[in-house]
Amino acid sequence: MRATARIRATADGRGGTALPLLAGEGPLALRRTRGRGAEAGVVLVGAMSAPLGGDHLTVEATAGPGAHLALGSAAATLALPGRGGEPAHYDVRLTLEDGASVRWLPEPLVSVRGSDLRVRTEARLAPTARLLLREEQVLGRAGEAPGLLRSRLAVTRGGRPLLDQELACGPGAPGGWDGPAGLAGHRAIGQLLVVDPDFEAAPPAAAVLGEYAAVTPLAGPAVLVTALAPDALRLRELLDGACRTYGW
């Protein structure tokens, strides 16, 4: 199955944000919610079990000049095995134009035993745009081994690379992914990326947040918080704390 959800946000000329395009397909249903201040809120609601092996799901969101968009999901996404053993693909493409802001804060992605999922998130920002992006990945349900999960996050600002990184874990991933130099036995991994032009004048400092979380300033007005945790609850606590410190 192939399905795409498309969102476009524009400034409404009255200090708010309109949604002239809000269209979902298949399992990707979209619902408008109340945002904060000038934001328009959108929640992604899973209309059926997905992604299954062989599926290709895409979320495309554009925030036009001066628009402010908050995106989330109603529940965790479960990567499930398919019948033919083919990998599933889940792509997220964010475009932020001048003066726009996007908060992409979905619920966790759970890699179920036997699944094979490839996640790709791409964000393209104008130099004056702001982005708050959270990713949370959980390896297996309670008491369950994980599937194969491969994810990539690529961000450009003003046409120049800001961040491009990949993660692979689970059966079939390169050796050492669960060793002391990798996840060290943890089942939940997450990151919080904040891109804010205000950081040009006052960049955040590198820091350690507890035993398994780190703050890394990037070569640009951005900061990346990476965290490991034994479960999704503890991971969310770590990232929520970082969001209160560096986000908006």
Side-chain angles (χ1 to χ4, degrees):
M1 175 178 58
R2 301 181 70 91
T4 302
R6 296 179 175 88
I7 305 157
R8 180 165 181 84
T10 60
D12 64 7
R14 302 187 301 274
T17 299
L19 295 171
L21 176 62
L22 193 64
E25 296 177 341
L28 301 175
L30 300 173
R31 301 290 182 267
R32 177 159 189 172
T33 61
R34 186 183 300 275
R36 301 187 317 195
E39 282 183 338
V42 177
V43 171
L44 186 65
V45 180
M48 61 183 73
S49 294
L52 299 170
D55 288 351
H56 197 152
L57 308 182
T58 304
V59 177
E60 298 177 347
T62 299
H68 305 287
L69 182 62
L71 294 172
S73 58
T77 297
L78 269 64
L80 301 168
R83 293 183 178 179
E86 299 176 346
H89 296 261
Y90 197 130
D91 297 335
V92 177
R93 300 170 187 155
L94 307 175
T95 302
L96 288 70
E97 300 180 12
D98 287 324
S101 70
V102 170
R103 293 190 298 129
W104 170 236
L105 302 172
E107 294 303 306
L109 169 66
V110 182
S111 176
V112 172
R113 181 177 59 190
S115 64
D116 184 352
L117 178 64
R118 302 176 186 183
V119 181
R120 183 179 177 93
T121 301
E122 298 179 345
R124 296 180 296 173
L125 283 70
T128 55
R130 295 193 304 165
L131 173 66
L132 177 62
L133 181 150
R134 181 183 70 210
E135 288 188 338
E136 298 170 314
Q137 296 160 346
V138 181
L139 305 183
R141 294 168 290 194
E144 178 185 63
L148 175 58
L149 175 63
R150 287 169 281 193
S151 67
R152 181 175 180 181
L153 173 61
V155 182
T156 60
R157 178 177 181 265
R160 296 184 175 183
L162 179 67
L163 175 68
D164 195 334
Q165 66 176 24
E166 294 187 58
L167 168 71
C169 50
W177 66 270
D178 199 27
L183 303 188
H186 291 83
R187 295 183 61 249
I189 181 170
Q191 54 191 1
L192 182 79
L193 173 67
V194 186
V195 185
D196 192 331
D198 289 347
F199 289 163
E200 290 182 319
V208 176
L209 304 178
E211 189 175 2
Y212 295 105
V215 180
T216 305
L218 301 181
V223 64
L224 179 68
V225 179
T226 305
L228 298 174
D231 54 48
L233 178 60
R234 178 55 181 154
L235 179 64
R236 177 62 60 86
E237 291 173 350
L238 288 167
L239 296 182
D240 278 353
C243 189
R244 288 190 292 270
T245 301
Y246 302 103
W248 67 89

